[in-house]
Amino acid sequence: MDALAAQLEAVSDWITLHITMWVLVGTGILMTVRTGAVQLRRLPDMFRQVVGSRSGAQGGISSFQAFTISLAARVGIGNVFGVAAALILGGPGAIFWMWVVALVGMATAFFEATLAQMFKVRHADGSFRGGPAYYMARGLRSRPLGVLFACLTIFTCGFSIIMVQSNAVAGVIGPGSPLNLSPSVAAAVLVGLSALVILGGVRRVARVTEWMAPVMALVYVVMAVVIVALHITQLPGVLATIVSSAFGPYPFAGGVTGGIIAALTNGTRRGLFSNEAGQGTAPFAAATATVAHPVQQGLIQSLGVFVDTIVVCTATAFIILVSGVYSPALVEAGTLTPDAAGTLTSDAVAATLGSWTAVPMAIVIFVLAFSSIIAAATYSEVSMTFISERPVWRWLPRLVSVASTGLGALATLTVVWNTVDITMAVMTLTNLVALIWLARWGVGALRDWDAQRAQGRAVPVFNGVGNPYLPGDLPGDVWGGERPQTTEPDEQDETADAVPAATPASSQPAASTGADA
Protein backbone atom coordinates (compact mmCIF):
# COMPACT_ATOMS: atom_id res chain seq x y z
CA MET A 1 0.00 0.00 0.00
CA ASP A 2 2.90 2.37 0.75
CA ALA A 3 4.38 1.70 -2.69
CA LEU A 4 1.05 2.51 -4.33
CA ALA A 5 0.78 5.74 -2.36
CA ALA A 6 4.30 6.77 -3.40
CA GLN A 7 3.57 6.09 -7.07
CA LEU A 8 0.32 8.04 -6.94
CA GLU A 9 2.08 10.93 -5.22
CA ALA A 10 4.78 11.07 -7.89
CA VAL A 11 2.15 11.23 -10.66
CA SER A 12 0.14 13.84 -8.77
CA ASP A 13 3.20 16.06 -8.19
CA TRP A 14 4.20 15.93 -11.85
CA ILE A 15 0.74 16.80 -13.15
CA THR A 16 0.34 19.68 -10.69
CA LEU A 17 3.80 21.17 -11.20
CA HIS A 18 4.00 20.90 -14.99
CA ILE A 19 0.37 21.26 -16.13
CA THR A 20 -2.44 21.99 -13.67
CA MET A 21 -0.81 24.88 -11.83
CA TRP A 22 -0.03 26.87 -14.97
CA VAL A 23 -3.27 26.18 -16.81
CA LEU A 24 -5.41 26.88 -13.72
CA VAL A 25 -3.79 30.21 -12.84
CA GLY A 26 -3.41 31.20 -16.49
CA THR A 27 -7.10 30.62 -17.18
CA GLY A 28 -8.04 32.59 -14.08
CA ILE A 29 -5.92 35.54 -15.23
CA LEU A 30 -7.44 35.36 -18.72
CA MET A 31 -10.98 35.33 -17.31
CA THR A 32 -10.12 38.21 -14.98
CA VAL A 33 -8.91 40.32 -17.89
CA ARG A 34 -11.87 39.48 -20.12
CA THR A 35 -14.40 40.43 -17.43
CA GLY A 36 -12.62 43.56 -16.26
CA ALA A 37 -11.89 41.87 -12.91
CA VAL A 38 -15.52 40.97 -12.22
CA GLN A 39 -14.53 39.39 -8.90
CA LEU A 40 -13.45 42.82 -7.63
CA ARG A 41 -15.77 45.32 -9.28
CA ARG A 42 -18.90 43.21 -8.65
CA LEU A 43 -18.03 42.02 -5.14
CA PRO A 44 -20.80 44.15 -3.55
CA ASP A 45 -23.28 42.65 -6.00
CA MET A 46 -22.20 39.17 -4.91
CA PHE A 47 -23.19 39.81 -1.31
CA ARG A 48 -26.39 41.51 -2.42
CA GLN A 49 -27.43 38.53 -4.55
CA VAL A 50 -26.84 36.03 -1.74
CA VAL A 51 -28.92 38.08 0.71
CA GLY A 52 -31.94 38.04 -1.59
CA SER A 53 -31.60 34.60 -3.14
CA ARG A 54 -33.67 32.32 -0.90
CA SER A 55 -36.99 32.86 -2.69
CA GLY A 56 -38.09 32.83 -6.30
CA ALA A 57 -37.56 29.11 -6.91
CA GLN A 58 -41.27 28.49 -7.70
CA GLY A 59 -41.17 24.91 -6.48
CA GLY A 60 -37.65 24.27 -7.78
CA ILE A 61 -34.27 24.93 -6.20
CA SER A 62 -33.59 28.50 -5.15
CA SER A 63 -30.42 30.38 -5.97
CA PHE A 64 -29.46 30.23 -2.30
CA GLN A 65 -29.97 26.46 -2.14
CA ALA A 66 -27.78 25.99 -5.22
CA PHE A 67 -25.17 28.18 -3.55
CA THR A 68 -25.24 26.10 -0.37
CA ILE A 69 -25.01 22.80 -2.27
CA SER A 70 -21.77 24.01 -3.86
CA LEU A 71 -20.65 25.59 -0.57
CA ALA A 72 -21.23 22.24 1.12
CA ALA A 73 -18.75 20.68 -1.29
CA ARG A 74 -16.29 23.58 -1.00
CA VAL A 75 -16.27 24.12 2.76
CA GLY A 76 -15.20 20.72 3.93
CA ILE A 77 -12.11 18.71 4.66
CA GLY A 78 -10.06 20.80 2.25
CA ASN A 79 -10.46 23.72 4.66
CA VAL A 80 -9.39 21.74 7.70
CA PHE A 81 -7.12 18.86 6.68
CA GLY A 82 -6.14 20.34 3.30
CA VAL A 83 -4.74 23.54 4.79
CA ALA A 84 -2.86 21.54 7.41
CA ALA A 85 -1.37 19.32 4.70
CA ALA A 86 -0.39 22.39 2.64
CA LEU A 87 1.44 23.87 5.64
CA ILE A 88 3.29 20.64 6.37
CA LEU A 89 4.30 19.96 2.76
CA GLY A 90 4.73 23.49 1.45
CA GLY A 91 5.30 25.71 4.45
CA PRO A 92 3.34 28.89 5.30
CA GLY A 93 3.98 30.17 1.76
CA ALA A 94 1.51 27.60 0.44
CA ILE A 95 -1.28 29.70 1.97
CA PHE A 96 -0.24 32.68 -0.15
CA TRP A 97 -0.55 30.63 -3.32
CA MET A 98 -3.92 29.38 -2.14
CA TRP A 99 -4.97 33.03 -2.01
CA VAL A 100 -3.69 33.62 -5.54
CA VAL A 101 -5.51 30.57 -6.87
CA ALA A 102 -8.70 31.73 -5.16
CA LEU A 103 -8.56 35.37 -6.31
CA VAL A 104 -8.08 34.53 -9.98
CA GLY A 105 -10.27 31.47 -9.51
CA MET A 106 -13.21 33.68 -8.57
CA ALA A 107 -13.34 34.82 -12.21
CA THR A 108 -13.12 31.22 -13.40
CA ALA A 109 -15.92 30.22 -11.02
CA PHE A 110 -18.02 33.09 -12.35
CA PHE A 111 -17.69 31.77 -15.91
CA GLU A 112 -18.42 28.18 -14.86
CA ALA A 113 -21.65 29.07 -13.11
CA THR A 114 -22.82 31.58 -15.73
CA LEU A 115 -22.28 29.11 -18.56
CA ALA A 116 -23.97 26.36 -16.55
CA GLN A 117 -27.04 28.60 -16.25
CA MET A 118 -26.98 29.62 -19.92
CA PHE A 119 -26.83 26.08 -21.29
CA LYS A 120 -28.97 24.30 -18.68
CA VAL A 121 -31.99 22.14 -19.52
CA ARG A 122 -35.22 21.34 -17.75
CA HIS A 123 -35.32 17.81 -16.36
CA ALA A 124 -38.34 15.51 -16.50
CA ASP A 125 -39.17 16.19 -12.84
CA GLY A 126 -39.31 19.94 -13.46
CA SER A 127 -35.94 20.79 -11.95
CA PHE A 128 -33.03 22.22 -13.92
CA ARG A 129 -29.89 20.30 -14.85
CA GLY A 130 -26.64 21.66 -16.22
CA GLY A 131 -22.90 21.92 -15.81
CA PRO A 132 -19.76 21.40 -17.86
CA ALA A 133 -21.07 18.29 -19.62
CA TYR A 134 -24.08 20.30 -20.76
CA TYR A 135 -22.21 23.39 -21.93
CA MET A 136 -19.72 21.17 -23.73
CA ALA A 137 -22.50 19.37 -25.57
CA ARG A 138 -24.72 22.39 -26.22
CA GLY A 139 -22.17 25.20 -26.39
CA LEU A 140 -19.28 23.42 -28.08
CA ARG A 141 -21.68 21.04 -29.83
CA SER A 142 -19.58 18.10 -28.75
CA ARG A 143 -21.63 15.50 -26.93
CA PRO A 144 -18.68 13.04 -26.85
CA LEU A 145 -16.66 15.60 -24.87
CA GLY A 146 -19.64 16.10 -22.58
CA VAL A 147 -19.95 12.37 -22.02
CA LEU A 148 -16.22 12.16 -21.28
CA PHE A 149 -16.49 14.89 -18.68
CA ALA A 150 -19.60 13.28 -17.19
CA CYS A 151 -17.71 10.00 -16.79
CA LEU A 152 -14.79 11.82 -15.16
CA THR A 153 -17.22 13.51 -12.77
CA ILE A 154 -18.97 10.28 -11.85
CA PHE A 155 -15.64 8.71 -10.92
CA THR A 156 -14.05 11.77 -9.30
CA CYS A 157 -17.07 12.88 -7.27
CA GLY A 158 -18.86 9.59 -6.69
CA PHE A 159 -15.69 7.72 -5.81
CA SER A 160 -12.44 9.58 -5.05
CA ILE A 161 -13.79 12.81 -3.49
CA ILE A 162 -16.29 10.93 -1.36
CA MET A 163 -13.55 8.55 -0.22
CA VAL A 164 -11.42 11.48 0.98
CA GLN A 165 -14.31 13.00 2.90
CA SER A 166 -15.42 9.71 4.46
CA ASN A 167 -11.83 8.93 5.42
CA ALA A 168 -11.77 12.20 7.34
CA VAL A 169 -15.11 11.50 9.03
CA ALA A 170 -13.94 8.03 10.02
CA GLY A 171 -10.98 9.68 11.72
CA VAL A 172 -13.19 11.77 14.02
CA ILE A 173 -15.49 8.88 15.00
CA GLY A 174 -13.01 5.99 14.74
CA PRO A 175 -10.30 4.65 17.07
CA GLY A 176 -8.84 7.30 19.39
CA SER A 177 -11.76 9.68 18.83
CA PRO A 178 -14.38 10.64 21.43
CA LEU A 179 -16.68 7.89 20.05
CA ASN A 180 -13.80 5.42 19.61
CA LEU A 181 -15.64 3.29 17.03
CA SER A 182 -13.85 0.48 15.27
CA PRO A 183 -13.05 1.09 11.56
CA SER A 184 -15.74 -1.33 10.41
CA VAL A 185 -18.39 0.20 12.66
CA ALA A 186 -17.41 3.71 11.58
CA ALA A 187 -17.74 2.64 7.95
CA ALA A 188 -21.16 1.14 8.62
CA VAL A 189 -22.36 4.32 10.33
CA LEU A 190 -21.23 6.43 7.39
CA VAL A 191 -22.88 4.15 4.85
CA GLY A 192 -26.14 4.26 6.77
CA LEU A 193 -26.20 8.05 7.20
CA SER A 194 -25.21 8.78 3.60
CA ALA A 195 -27.83 6.37 2.27
CA LEU A 196 -30.60 8.23 4.12
CA VAL A 197 -29.79 11.44 2.25
CA ILE A 198 -28.20 10.42 -1.05
CA LEU A 199 -30.87 7.90 -1.99
CA GLY A 200 -33.49 10.63 -1.56
CA GLY A 201 -32.33 12.62 -4.61
CA VAL A 202 -31.26 16.18 -5.37
CA ARG A 203 -34.12 18.04 -3.67
CA ARG A 204 -33.46 16.27 -0.37
CA VAL A 205 -29.79 17.17 -0.70
CA ALA A 206 -30.78 20.81 -1.24
CA ARG A 207 -32.96 20.84 1.88
CA VAL A 208 -30.23 19.28 4.04
CA THR A 209 -27.28 21.35 2.84
CA GLU A 210 -29.25 24.62 2.92
CA TRP A 211 -28.90 24.77 6.69
CA MET A 212 -26.18 22.25 7.52
CA ALA A 213 -23.20 23.62 5.60
CA PRO A 214 -23.63 27.33 6.41
CA VAL A 215 -24.25 26.69 10.12
CA MET A 216 -21.18 24.51 10.58
CA ALA A 217 -19.02 26.82 8.48
CA LEU A 218 -20.18 29.72 10.65
CA VAL A 219 -19.43 27.81 13.85
CA TYR A 220 -15.95 27.03 12.59
CA VAL A 221 -15.26 30.60 11.48
CA VAL A 222 -16.52 31.99 14.82
CA MET A 223 -14.19 29.62 16.63
CA ALA A 224 -11.34 30.81 14.44
CA VAL A 225 -12.19 34.47 15.06
CA VAL A 226 -12.09 33.87 18.81
CA ILE A 227 -8.66 32.24 18.54
CA VAL A 228 -7.31 35.01 16.31
CA ALA A 229 -8.70 37.65 18.68
CA LEU A 230 -6.90 36.00 21.58
CA HIS A 231 -3.66 36.18 19.57
CA ILE A 232 -4.27 39.42 17.71
CA THR A 233 -0.78 40.74 18.36
CA GLN A 234 0.67 37.79 16.43
CA LEU A 235 -1.36 38.41 13.27
CA PRO A 236 1.07 40.85 11.58
CA GLY A 237 3.86 38.34 12.09
CA VAL A 238 1.71 35.51 10.71
CA LEU A 239 0.85 37.51 7.58
CA ALA A 240 4.50 38.45 7.08
CA THR A 241 5.54 34.81 7.43
CA ILE A 242 2.96 33.67 4.86
CA VAL A 243 4.00 36.25 2.27
CA SER A 244 7.77 36.00 2.79
CA SER A 245 7.83 32.21 2.76
CA ALA A 246 5.93 32.17 -0.54
CA PHE A 247 9.10 33.45 -2.20
CA GLY A 248 11.81 32.45 0.25
CA PRO A 249 13.69 29.31 1.32
CA TYR A 250 12.60 26.70 3.80
CA PRO A 251 15.37 24.19 4.53
CA PHE A 252 13.05 21.23 5.01
CA ALA A 253 11.67 21.78 1.51
CA GLY A 254 15.05 21.48 -0.18
CA GLY A 255 16.53 24.99 -0.35
CA VAL A 256 15.35 28.15 -2.10
CA THR A 257 14.02 26.46 -5.24
CA GLY A 258 12.60 23.54 -3.31
CA GLY A 259 10.86 25.83 -0.86
CA ILE A 260 9.21 27.98 -3.53
CA ILE A 261 8.18 25.00 -5.67
CA ALA A 262 6.83 23.15 -2.63
CA ALA A 263 4.76 26.19 -1.66
CA LEU A 264 3.51 26.68 -5.22
CA THR A 265 2.64 23.04 -5.78
CA ASN A 266 0.88 22.41 -2.50
CA GLY A 267 -0.84 25.79 -2.42
CA THR A 268 -2.23 25.23 -5.91
CA ARG A 269 -3.22 21.62 -5.29
CA ARG A 270 -4.86 22.18 -1.92
CA GLY A 271 -6.42 25.44 -3.13
CA LEU A 272 -8.09 23.62 -6.03
CA PHE A 273 -9.36 20.84 -3.78
CA SER A 274 -10.75 23.36 -1.35
CA ASN A 275 -12.48 25.97 -3.55
CA GLU A 276 -13.02 23.88 -6.73
CA ALA A 277 -12.66 26.93 -9.01
CA GLY A 278 -12.18 25.55 -12.52
CA GLN A 279 -12.74 21.97 -11.48
CA GLY A 280 -16.22 21.87 -12.97
CA THR A 281 -18.17 20.49 -10.02
CA ALA A 282 -19.77 23.63 -8.60
CA PRO A 283 -21.47 24.48 -11.96
CA PHE A 284 -23.66 21.40 -11.53
CA ALA A 285 -25.18 23.02 -8.46
CA ALA A 286 -25.26 26.47 -10.05
CA ALA A 287 -27.34 25.19 -12.97
CA THR A 288 -30.10 23.87 -10.71
CA ALA A 289 -31.10 27.33 -9.49
CA THR A 290 -34.11 29.23 -10.78
CA VAL A 291 -32.86 32.76 -11.49
CA ALA A 292 -33.78 35.68 -13.71
CA HIS A 293 -30.28 36.08 -15.16
CA PRO A 294 -27.33 33.64 -15.47
CA VAL A 295 -24.91 36.24 -14.13
CA GLN A 296 -26.86 36.32 -10.88
CA GLN A 297 -25.76 32.76 -10.13
CA GLY A 298 -22.31 33.41 -11.54
CA LEU A 299 -21.75 36.14 -8.97
CA ILE A 300 -23.08 33.99 -6.14
CA GLN A 301 -20.84 31.05 -7.03
CA SER A 302 -17.83 33.34 -7.38
CA LEU A 303 -18.48 34.51 -3.83
CA GLY A 304 -18.36 30.88 -2.73
CA VAL A 305 -14.68 30.73 -3.71
CA PHE A 306 -14.01 33.88 -1.68
CA VAL A 307 -15.77 32.48 1.38
CA ASP A 308 -14.07 29.12 1.09
CA THR A 309 -10.44 30.18 0.69
CA ILE A 310 -10.01 33.81 1.66
CA VAL A 311 -12.19 33.39 4.77
CA VAL A 312 -12.30 29.77 5.93
CA CYS A 313 -8.90 28.49 4.72
CA THR A 314 -7.17 31.61 6.00
CA ALA A 315 -8.88 31.16 9.35
CA THR A 316 -7.53 27.61 9.54
CA ALA A 317 -4.03 28.76 8.69
CA PHE A 318 -4.15 31.42 11.39
CA ILE A 319 -5.33 28.88 13.96
CA ILE A 320 -2.44 26.54 13.21
CA LEU A 321 0.24 29.22 12.92
CA VAL A 322 -0.63 31.00 16.18
CA SER A 323 -1.18 27.84 18.21
CA GLY A 324 2.43 26.73 18.52
CA VAL A 325 1.72 23.14 17.43
CA TYR A 326 3.28 23.78 14.01
CA SER A 327 6.67 25.04 12.90
CA PRO A 328 8.95 24.35 9.91
CA ALA A 329 11.53 23.05 12.35
CA LEU A 330 9.17 20.27 13.47
CA VAL A 331 8.64 19.29 9.83
CA GLU A 332 12.37 19.39 9.10
CA ALA A 333 13.05 17.18 12.12
CA GLY A 334 10.46 14.65 10.95
CA THR A 335 8.35 15.16 14.08
CA LEU A 336 5.48 16.58 12.04
CA THR A 337 4.64 14.41 9.00
CA PRO A 338 1.87 14.62 6.37
CA ASP A 339 0.01 11.89 8.26
CA ALA A 340 -0.49 14.41 11.06
CA ALA A 341 -2.62 16.64 8.79
CA GLY A 342 -5.74 14.84 9.96
CA THR A 343 -5.34 16.03 13.55
CA LEU A 344 -3.19 19.17 13.24
CA THR A 345 -6.09 21.65 13.12
CA SER A 346 -7.91 20.00 16.02
CA ASP A 347 -4.68 19.97 18.02
CA ALA A 348 -4.18 23.67 17.26
CA VAL A 349 -7.70 24.51 18.47
CA ALA A 350 -7.18 22.47 21.63
CA ALA A 351 -3.83 24.17 22.28
CA THR A 352 -5.44 27.61 22.20
CA LEU A 353 -8.92 27.06 23.64
CA GLY A 354 -8.46 23.93 25.74
CA SER A 355 -9.03 20.19 25.49
CA TRP A 356 -12.80 20.65 25.83
CA THR A 357 -12.87 21.58 22.11
CA ALA A 358 -12.17 17.97 21.04
CA VAL A 359 -15.85 17.04 20.84
CA PRO A 360 -17.08 20.29 19.18
CA MET A 361 -14.29 20.06 16.60
CA ALA A 362 -15.18 16.45 15.89
CA ILE A 363 -18.78 17.51 15.27
CA VAL A 364 -17.75 20.37 12.99
CA ILE A 365 -15.42 18.16 10.95
CA PHE A 366 -18.06 15.44 10.76
CA VAL A 367 -20.74 17.79 9.43
CA LEU A 368 -18.44 19.62 6.99
CA ALA A 369 -17.19 16.35 5.54
CA PHE A 370 -20.62 14.74 5.48
CA SER A 371 -22.16 17.71 3.69
CA SER A 372 -19.38 17.44 1.11
CA ILE A 373 -20.17 13.76 0.65
CA ILE A 374 -23.81 14.36 -0.23
CA ALA A 375 -22.95 17.34 -2.46
CA ALA A 376 -20.39 15.27 -4.39
CA ALA A 377 -22.98 12.52 -4.76
CA THR A 378 -25.32 15.07 -6.32
CA TYR A 379 -22.74 16.03 -8.94
CA SER A 380 -22.22 12.37 -9.76
CA GLU A 381 -25.96 11.81 -10.19
CA VAL A 382 -26.41 14.85 -12.44
CA SER A 383 -23.58 13.58 -14.64
CA MET A 384 -25.26 10.21 -15.01
CA THR A 385 -28.49 11.99 -15.93
CA PHE A 386 -26.60 13.68 -18.76
CA ILE A 387 -25.46 10.32 -20.11
CA SER A 388 -28.90 8.70 -19.81
CA GLU A 389 -32.30 10.20 -18.96
CA ARG A 390 -33.69 6.85 -17.85
CA PRO A 391 -34.59 7.16 -14.13
CA VAL A 392 -33.19 3.72 -13.33
CA TRP A 393 -29.66 4.88 -14.16
CA ARG A 394 -29.81 7.53 -11.44
CA TRP A 395 -29.56 4.78 -8.87
CA LEU A 396 -26.13 3.67 -10.08
CA PRO A 397 -24.19 6.81 -8.97
CA ARG A 398 -26.25 6.96 -5.79
CA LEU A 399 -25.32 3.40 -4.87
CA VAL A 400 -21.67 3.91 -5.86
CA SER A 401 -21.53 7.06 -3.74
CA VAL A 402 -22.94 5.28 -0.72
CA ALA A 403 -20.53 2.37 -1.17
CA SER A 404 -17.59 4.79 -1.53
CA THR A 405 -18.26 6.21 1.91
CA GLY A 406 -17.58 2.77 3.33
CA LEU A 407 -14.47 2.20 1.22
CA GLY A 408 -13.06 5.61 2.11
CA ALA A 409 -13.52 4.97 5.81
CA LEU A 410 -11.36 1.84 5.53
CA ALA A 411 -8.69 3.13 3.10
CA THR A 412 -5.40 4.83 4.05
CA LEU A 413 -5.10 8.62 4.07
CA THR A 414 -2.25 8.89 1.57
CA VAL A 415 -3.89 6.69 -1.06
CA VAL A 416 -7.22 8.53 -1.07
CA TRP A 417 -5.60 12.00 -1.16
CA ASN A 418 -3.24 11.19 -4.02
CA THR A 419 -6.03 9.49 -5.97
CA VAL A 420 -8.30 12.51 -5.69
CA ASP A 421 -5.49 14.89 -6.70
CA ILE A 422 -4.93 12.98 -9.96
CA THR A 423 -8.59 12.58 -10.90
CA MET A 424 -9.38 16.19 -10.06
CA ALA A 425 -6.48 17.40 -12.20
CA VAL A 426 -7.74 15.52 -15.28
CA MET A 427 -11.27 16.74 -14.66
CA THR A 428 -10.13 20.34 -14.21
CA LEU A 429 -8.02 20.44 -17.37
CA THR A 430 -10.93 19.12 -19.45
CA ASN A 431 -13.24 21.77 -18.03
CA LEU A 432 -10.80 24.65 -18.51
CA VAL A 433 -10.49 23.88 -22.22
CA ALA A 434 -14.26 24.26 -22.59
CA LEU A 435 -14.31 27.47 -20.51
CA ILE A 436 -11.73 29.12 -22.73
CA TRP A 437 -13.62 28.23 -25.91
CA LEU A 438 -16.97 29.41 -24.49
CA ALA A 439 -15.66 32.53 -22.77
CA ARG A 440 -17.36 34.87 -25.29
CA TRP A 441 -20.77 33.60 -24.16
CA GLY A 442 -20.00 34.37 -20.53
CA VAL A 443 -18.59 37.79 -21.45
CA GLY A 444 -21.75 38.52 -23.45
CA ALA A 445 -23.99 37.62 -20.52
CA LEU A 446 -21.93 39.84 -18.21
CA ARG A 447 -22.16 42.76 -20.66
CA ASP A 448 -25.94 42.28 -20.73
CA TRP A 449 -26.04 42.34 -16.92
CA ASP A 450 -23.80 45.42 -16.72
CA ALA A 451 -25.93 47.27 -19.28
CA GLN A 452 -29.15 46.61 -17.38
CA ARG A 453 -27.61 47.56 -14.06
CA ALA A 454 -26.26 50.77 -15.60
CA GLN A 455 -29.81 51.60 -16.71
CA GLY A 456 -31.07 51.24 -13.14
CA ARG A 457 -32.60 47.78 -13.19
CA ALA A 458 -32.07 46.22 -9.78
CA VAL A 459 -32.80 42.69 -11.00
CA PRO A 460 -31.60 42.27 -14.60
CA VAL A 461 -33.59 39.80 -16.69
CA PHE A 462 -31.91 37.64 -19.31
CA ASN A 463 -33.03 36.55 -22.74
CA GLY A 464 -31.03 34.11 -24.84
CA VAL A 465 -32.78 34.82 -28.14
CA GLY A 466 -31.94 37.93 -30.14
CA ASN A 467 -29.67 39.24 -27.41
CA PRO A 468 -27.21 41.67 -29.06
CA TYR A 469 -24.52 40.92 -26.48
CA LEU A 470 -24.36 37.19 -27.29
CA PRO A 471 -22.54 35.59 -30.24
CA GLY A 472 -25.78 33.81 -31.17
CA ASP A 473 -29.06 32.43 -29.85
CA LEU A 474 -28.93 29.94 -26.99
CA PRO A 475 -30.27 26.46 -27.80
CA GLY A 476 -33.45 25.19 -26.18
CA ASP A 477 -36.37 27.09 -24.67
CA VAL A 478 -35.13 27.77 -21.11
CA TRP A 479 -33.98 31.30 -21.93
CA GLY A 480 -36.33 32.00 -24.85
CA GLY A 481 -38.94 34.76 -25.24
CA GLU A 482 -38.79 38.44 -25.87
CA ARG A 483 -36.09 40.65 -24.43
CA PRO A 484 -37.41 42.93 -21.66
CA GLN A 485 -37.44 46.68 -22.18
CA THR A 486 -34.67 47.63 -19.78
CA THR A 487 -35.04 51.35 -20.51
CA GLU A 488 -38.53 51.62 -19.02
CA PRO A 489 -38.60 53.81 -15.90
CA ASP A 490 -41.47 51.71 -14.57
CA GLU A 491 -42.54 50.70 -11.09
CA GLN A 492 -40.91 47.30 -11.40
CA ASP A 493 -37.49 48.74 -10.74
CA GLU A 494 -38.73 50.59 -7.66
CA THR A 495 -40.17 47.37 -6.28
CA ALA A 496 -36.98 45.50 -7.05
CA ASP A 497 -34.92 48.19 -5.35
CA ALA A 498 -37.08 47.90 -2.25
CA VAL A 499 -36.52 44.15 -2.04
CA PRO A 500 -33.17 43.48 -3.78
CA ALA A 501 -33.24 40.22 -5.75
CA ALA A 502 -35.72 38.68 -3.33
CA THR A 503 -38.01 37.31 -6.02
CA PRO A 504 -36.02 37.34 -9.26
CA ALA A 505 -38.08 34.65 -10.94
CA SER A 506 -41.52 35.91 -10.02
CA SER A 507 -41.50 39.67 -9.48
CA GLN A 508 -41.21 40.47 -13.18
CA PRO A 509 -43.20 38.82 -16.00
CA ALA A 510 -40.17 38.59 -18.25
CA ALA A 511 -38.27 36.64 -15.63
CA SER A 512 -40.54 33.63 -15.94
CA THR A 513 -39.93 33.71 -19.68
CA GLY A 514 -36.24 33.24 -19.04
CA ALA A 515 -35.96 30.90 -16.10
CA ASP A 516 -39.22 29.02 -16.19
CA ALA A 517 -39.91 28.46 -19.85
Side-chain angles (χ1 to χ4, degrees):
M1 188 64 71
D2 290 340
L4 175 62
Q7 292 174 352
L8 290 173
E9 184 177 8
V11 173
S12 175
D13 286 346
W14 190 91
I15 293 176
T16 301
L17 182 60
H18 294 92
I19 303 176
T20 311
M21 180 170 63
W22 306 107
V23 177
L24 187 67
V25 175
T27 301
I29 293 173
L30 175 64
M31 299 303 182
T32 298
V33 172
R34 296 207 63 177
T35 60
V38 64
Q39 67 268 48
L40 300 179
R41 66 184 180 86
R42 285 299 182 189
L43 188 61
D45 263 0
M46 294 178 188
F47 288 99
R48 176 177 173 275
Q49 293 304 318
V50 168
V51 169
S53 63
R54 283 182 57 86
S55 59
Q58 296 186 345
I61 293 176
S62 71
S63 181
F64 182 78
Q65 285 178 319
F67 170 70
T68 55
I69 288 177
S70 63
L71 188 65
R74 284 190 172 116
V75 181
I77 294 308
N79 302 85
V80 181
F81 294 176
V83 172
L87 284 170
I88 293 173
L89 294 170
I95 306 305
F96 176 86
W97 296 112
M98 289 182 74
W99 292 344
V100 172
V101 169
L103 288 175
V104 299
M106 288 176 69
T108 306
F110 168 82
F111 270 91
E112 288 182 306
T114 301
L115 291 172
Q117 274 287 327
M118 295 175 74
F119 292 101
K120 69 183 180 181
V121 299
R122 187 181 292 278
H123 196 253
D125 64 1
S127 62
F128 290 118
R129 294 290 189 273
Y134 289 83
Y135 56 66
M136 290 173 187
R138 308 182 82 211
L140 295 177
R141 298 182 181 180
S142 176
R143 179 168 174 80
L145 184 60
V147 171
L148 171 63
F149 187 86
C151 292
L152 290 172
T153 305
I154 291 170
F155 182 80
T156 302
C157 293
F159 181 70
S160 57
I161 288 179
I162 286 180
M163 284 184 65
V164 168
Q165 304 292 347
S166 65
N167 185 272
V169 175
V172 300
I173 65 175
S177 71
L179 291 181
N180 199 32
L181 301 179
S182 68
S184 58
V185 173
V189 169
L190 278 172
V191 169
L193 289 176
S194 62
L196 288 175
V197 179
I198 293 173
L199 299 183
V202 66
R203 281 199 172 96
R204 183 174 296 177
V205 172
R207 287 194 295 270
V208 172
T209 57
E210 181 179 15
W211 62 267
M212 184 163 58
V215 168
M216 286 299 101
L218 181 61
V219 169
Y220 183 69
V221 170
V222 168
M223 189 179 297
V225 169
V226 171
I227 293 174
V228 172
L230 292 174
H231 300 80
I232 194 66
T233 57
Q234 298 181 41
L235 283 184
V238 168
L239 290 172
T241 299
I242 289 175
V243 175
S244 62
S245 63
F247 305 97
Y250 266 86
F252 71 89
V256 176
T257 303
I260 295 174
I261 295 301
L264 268 169
T265 304
N266 289 283
T268 302
R269 185 160 49 196
R270 296 282 70 84
L272 173 60
F273 181 82
S274 180
N275 63 52
E276 301 181 30
Q279 181 182 321
T281 46
F284 285 109
T288 63
T290 302
V291 293
H293 200 292
V295 168
Q296 178 181 348
Q297 198 63 31
L299 294 173
I300 288 175
Q301 297 302 120
S302 182
L303 181 64
V305 176
F306 179 88
V307 172
D308 173 88
T309 304
I310 306 302
V311 177
V312 183
C313 285
T314 301
T316 300
F318 282 156
I319 291 174
I320 295 173
L321 292 173
V322 304
S323 67
V325 300
Y326 164 88
S327 74
L330 292 175
V331 178
E332 183 182 6
T335 305
L336 197 57
T337 66
D339 291 335
T343 59
L344 185 61
T345 304
S346 297
D347 292 344
V349 172
T352 53
L353 296 182
S355 59
W356 65 269
T357 59
V359 173
M361 274 298 295
I363 295 173
V364 168
I365 292 172
F366 180 93
V367 173
L368 289 179
F370 187 72
S371 63
S372 294
I373 287 174
I374 57 180
T378 301
Y379 300 153
S380 181
E381 179 181 339
V382 172
S383 295
M384 180 58 74
T385 303
F386 173 82
I387 296 174
S388 175
E389 291 285 346
R390 295 182 61 185
V392 66
W393 284 105
R394 281 185 244 163
W395 286 95
L396 179 59
R398 293 181 188 180
L399 293 173
V400 169
S401 297
V402 171
S404 296
T405 60
L407 293 175
L410 298 173
T412 62
L413 179 70
T414 51
V415 168
V416 296
W417 273 98
N418 289 322
T419 299
V420 79
D421 284 339
I422 294 171
T423 57
M424 279 177 51
V426 176
M427 186 177 173
T428 300
L429 293 171
T430 306
N431 181 52
L432 293 179
V433 170
L435 287 182
I436 292 172
W437 280 103
L438 292 172
R440 57 181 182 158
W441 290 90
V443 171
L446 179 59
R447 289 176 60 198
D448 179 67
W449 171 279
D450 286 340
Q452 293 189 50
R453 291 289 286 126
Q455 293 168 358
R457 184 175 289 273
V459 186
V461 179
F462 183 72
N463 193 286
V465 177
N467 191 319
Y469 296 105
L470 300 181
D473 291 341
L474 286 173
D477 61 353
V478 173
W479 296 107
E482 294 189 0
R483 181 174 170 76
Q485 298 296 319
T486 58
T487 56
E488 291 182 9
D490 54 29
E491 294 181 359
Q492 287 180 338
D493 289 337
E494 295 177 6
T495 302
D497 283 328
V499 187
T503 55
S506 59
S507 62
Q508 302 177 52
S512 60
T513 303
D516 300 323

